């Protein structure tokens, strides 16, 4: 039996009407002969509501309890969807992450999937049922409920597709595909027909919230085509695949903005072997994900070390640094939360020059000051003041003509 995994995000299951629409999509696929597995997110803003409930009672909620609480949002969705399917005359069964042994590590609130027991799902599919699985949640080896990080239902879906041997995973959402930039912020963004896993992974990691980065990693690793599409309109969306034929001379495929960042700087840190290793080992011990590390030598004895983290990790990072401060001997620490990052992404950068110049020029023309710059083979990121970030994104998008379909752009855009 050919298997299709269909994932419905929060807005796509937010009320009874949308649930019925999602159920109809699954039935259409079942009628075509697919074994259908639905993965659902919590309804509407339910996860945000639960987070707010937690913080009302405790400013520092234990992460295990947070996961236990947040997992309930998805469980509501899947049982309701199974009821909707039943009312439409289709046999369906819903499962929590634990029930299909979605085994993860024990890093609460950002766990990583280790294995999935596909047997229970196969058995139900073979009995002719549509299987509805709760996204975003798993279970660790001690039976504690874990969650995969905000937006993690995408990862449940693609990981399930891989485990079940499905060739494609459909991601139904409130946009009709992946755009050159977030269409809610850059209104003139255009939809991409296709994007490579590498570019999508980079964009997702840099703030394109339309896909969870780990989902793209799974897709690439296990060869699952990801189809991002609209849950309300019957139109083709964007395919995330291995190789997209490159338009000659096209440098940049998309631009992103990340606002939930904080920057930490350790000034005048002792310039001796092992200090950076100590700082980052300690941050890792506290499960803090670090990006954009910059170290510069001030004089032979002192260096400045700065890095970016997600603002949700700020408390853990502060604690890690407090514990290590007497060992690494820095003179001053600064923490900025008023910072954002604007990035451009494109595999074309591997072989072409001029991207940096164009990006910095666009920001200069828009009178946006660049705080720091980081690059990889296929991206350039500039940290800017948060209140200038949207203006910066717009300027960069216009400079690279991300308001126009690729074939209409000037060469070297
Ligand atoms: P869901 O609840 O369905 O998972 P999300 O809110 O997680 O939906 O993701 C969809 C949103 O992602 C869109 O509404 C859009 O604002 C945002 N987004 C950010 N970057 C992009 C992009 N490059 N292309 C499309 N959407 C994007
Ligand atoms: N409900 C979770 C969230 O809001 C997971 C998801 O939607 O993918 O982050
Ligand atoms: Mg999402």
């Amino acid at each position: 039996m050919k298997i299709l995994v269909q994932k419905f995000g929060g807005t796509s299951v937010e009320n009874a009407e949308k649930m019925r629409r999602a159920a109809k999509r699954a039935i259409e696929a079942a009628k075509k002969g697919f074994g259908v597995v639905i993965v659902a997110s919590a309804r509407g803003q339910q996860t945000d509501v639960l987070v707010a409930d937690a913080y009302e009672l405790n400013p520092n909620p234990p992460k295990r309890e947070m996961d236990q609480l947040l997992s309930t949002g998805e469980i509501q969705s899947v049982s309701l969807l199974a009821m909707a399917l039943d009312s439409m005359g289709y046999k369906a069964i819903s499962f929590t992450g634990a029930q299909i042994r979605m085994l993860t590590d024990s890093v609460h609130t950002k766990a990583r999937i280790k294995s999935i027991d596909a047997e229970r799902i196969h058995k139900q599919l073979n009995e002719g049922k549509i299987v509805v699985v709760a996204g975003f949640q798993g279970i660790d080896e001690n039976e504690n409920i874990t969650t995969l990080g905000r937006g993690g239902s995408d990862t449940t879906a693609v990981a399930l597709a891989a485990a079940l041997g499905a060739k494609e995973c459909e991601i139904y959402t409130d946009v009709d595909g992946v755009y050159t930039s977030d269409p809610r912020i850059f209104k003139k963004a255009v939809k991409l027909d296709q994007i490579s896993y590498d570019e999508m992974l980079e964009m997702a990691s840099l703030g394109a919230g339309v896909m969870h980065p780990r989902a793209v990693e799974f897709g690439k690793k296990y060869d699952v085509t990801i189809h991002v599409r609209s849950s309300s309109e019957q139109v083709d969306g964007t395919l995330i695949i291995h190789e997209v034929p490159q338009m000659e001379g096209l440098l940049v495929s998309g631009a992103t903005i990340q606002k939930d960042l904080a920057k930490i700087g350790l000034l005048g840190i002792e310039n001796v072997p092992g200090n950076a290793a100590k700082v980052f080992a300690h941050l890792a011990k506290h499960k803090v994900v670090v990006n954009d590390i910059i170290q510069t030598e001030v004089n032979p004895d002192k260096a400045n070390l700065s890095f970016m983290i997600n603002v949700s990790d700020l408390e853990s990072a502060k604690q890690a640094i407090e514990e290590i401060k007497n060992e690494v001997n820095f003179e001053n620490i600064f923490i900025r939360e008023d910072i954002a990052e604007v990035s451009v992404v494109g595999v074309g950068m591997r072989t072409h020059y001029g991207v940096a110049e164009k990006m910095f020029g666009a920001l200069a023309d828009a009178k946006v000051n660049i705080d720091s710059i980081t690059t990889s083979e296929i991206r350039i990121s500039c940290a800017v003041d948060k209140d200038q970030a949207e203006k910066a994104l717009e300027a960069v998008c216009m400079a690279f003509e991300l308001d126009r379909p690729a074939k209409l752009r000037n060469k070297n855009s």
Side-chain angles (χ1 to χ4, degrees):
M1 186 194 304
K2 276 203 295 184
I3 293 174
L4 180 64
V5 179
Q6 299 183 318
K7 179 256 171 178
F8 294 90
T11 44
S12 308
V13 289
E14 69 189 344
N15 54 36
E17 187 199 330
K18 293 203 177 170
M19 288 229 171
R20 274 191 213 103
R21 200 183 292 164
K24 274 190 199 145
R25 293 266 187 185
I27 291 170
E28 273 165 34
K31 281 186 177 157
K32 285 186 193 151
F34 283 103
V36 182
V37 177
I38 299 179
V39 172
S41 295
R43 289 176 294 162
Q45 307 303 311
Q46 182 63 14
T47 309
D48 293 332
V49 171
L50 293 170
V51 170
D53 287 348
Y55 280 92
E56 206 181 334
L57 287 166
N58 185 339
N60 196 9
K63 290 188 170 161
R64 179 191 181 278
E65 301 312 321
M66 200 65 170
D67 278 352
Q68 185 99 341
L69 175 69
L70 295 196
S71 69
T72 62
E74 270 68 16
I75 299 174
Q76 293 177 359
S77 294
V78 291
S79 31
L80 288 166
L81 273 170
M83 290 177 198
L85 285 159
D86 179 75
S87 80
M88 294 165 155
Y90 273 79
K91 287 193 284 180
I93 181 165
S94 68
F95 287 128
T96 65
Q99 285 169 331
I100 54 155
R101 294 213 65 76
M102 173 76 68
L103 197 69
T104 70
D105 61 22
S106 303
V107 185
H108 285 292
T109 75
K110 47 184 172 190
R112 289 166 78 99
I113 298 172
K114 287 171 145 181
S115 64
I116 303 172
D117 178 7
E119 260 331 286
R120 194 158 184 194
I121 297 179
H122 277 303
K123 185 165 173 288
Q124 299 296 329
L125 291 173
N126 289 335
E127 288 175 14
K129 289 184 197 149
I130 293 177
V131 177
V132 196
V133 177
F136 175 56
Q137 57 184 264
I139 192 168
D140 75 0
E141 56 188 7
N142 297 316
E143 313 267 316
N144 297 300
I145 293 175
T146 54
T147 65
L148 309 180
R150 297 302 305 269
S153 296
D154 298 334
T155 298
T156 306
V158 182
L160 265 179
L164 294 165
K167 281 268 143 258
E168 187 172 315
C169 179
E170 294 182 328
I171 303 285
Y172 286 97
T173 183
D174 61 359
V175 269
D176 61 359
V178 178
Y179 279 64
T180 48
S181 192
D182 187 341
R184 268 193 245 175
I185 300 174
F186 179 56
K187 302 271 184 291
K188 296 180 189 156
V190 293
K191 189 168 99 182
L192 304 166
D193 295 330
Q194 303 179 328
I195 183 168
S196 67
Y197 292 112
D198 288 342
E199 284 173 314
M200 189 66 239
L201 180 57
E202 200 83 27
M203 281 181 67
S205 311
L206 295 167
V210 63
M211 280 301 299
H212 195 239
R214 290 276 296 149
V216 186
E217 274 176 16
F218 270 110
K220 181 178 179 190
K221 186 163 173 198
Y222 296 102
D223 212 3
V224 177
T225 299
I226 302 171
H227 187 178
V228 180
R229 56 194 310 194
S230 163
S231 56
S232 56
E233 283 170 77
Q234 289 273 11
V235 288
D236 284 341
T238 302
L239 293 179
I240 307 175
I241 51 178
H242 283 289
E243 282 302 324
V244 175
Q246 274 305 303
M247 301 277 298
E248 189 54 40
L250 194 68
L251 301 184
V252 163
S253 305
T256 62
I257 184 168
Q258 230 176 339
K259 290 187 188 163
D260 49 1
L261 295 174
K263 182 173 177 175
I264 298 185
L266 304 180
L267 305 180
I269 189 169
E270 238 177 1
N271 199 3
V272 292
N275 253 358
K278 278 185 204 156
V279 170
F280 293 110
H282 232 68
L283 287 161
K285 203 176 106 196
H286 285 259
K287 320 280 186 221
V288 177
V289 178
V290 177
N291 282 306
D292 298 351
I293 301 167
I294 301 176
Q295 176 163 317
T296 44
E297 191 181 64
V298 180
N299 60 44
D301 302 325
K302 298 282 175 191
N304 291 338
L305 176 63
S306 73
F307 51 88
M308 300 276 226
I309 58 170
N310 199 289
V311 78
S312 61
D313 282 338
L314 189 53
E315 285 315 310
S316 308
K318 279 187 194 162
Q319 205 185 325
I321 287 167
E322 183 60 34
E323 285 167 14
I324 198 87
K325 113 176 154 202
N326 293 335
E327 275 185 61
V328 297
N329 291 323
F330 53 84
E331 288 165 354
N332 257 313
I333 177 169
F334 76 81
I335 296 174
R336 284 189 64 183
E337 287 181 68
D338 58 344
I339 202 145
E341 199 167 72
V342 171
S343 310
V344 292
V345 172
V347 289
M349 278 183 223
R350 283 192 183 127
T351 47
H352 290 71
Y353 52 86
V355 182
E357 175 199 349
K358 192 178 258 190
M359 180 168 186
F360 305 154
L363 292 174
D365 290 346
K367 308 233 170 331
V368 174
N369 188 49
I370 303 172
D371 176 89
S372 58
I373 301 165
T374 41
T375 62
S376 83
E377 208 188 9
I378 64 165
R379 68 125 166 173
I380 300 178
S381 301
C382 294
V384 300
D385 279 354
K386 201 178 259 177
D387 56 13
Q388 288 200 308
E390 293 195 7
K391 180 168 92 168
L393 181 75
E394 168 116 22
V396 167
C397 284
M398 292 312 286
F400 288 99
E401 296 182 72
L402 296 181
D403 57 333
R404 314 182 71 182
K407 56 179 181 293
L408 298 182
R409 285 183 216 152
N410 279 328
K411 238 181 154 213
N412 294 327
S413 281

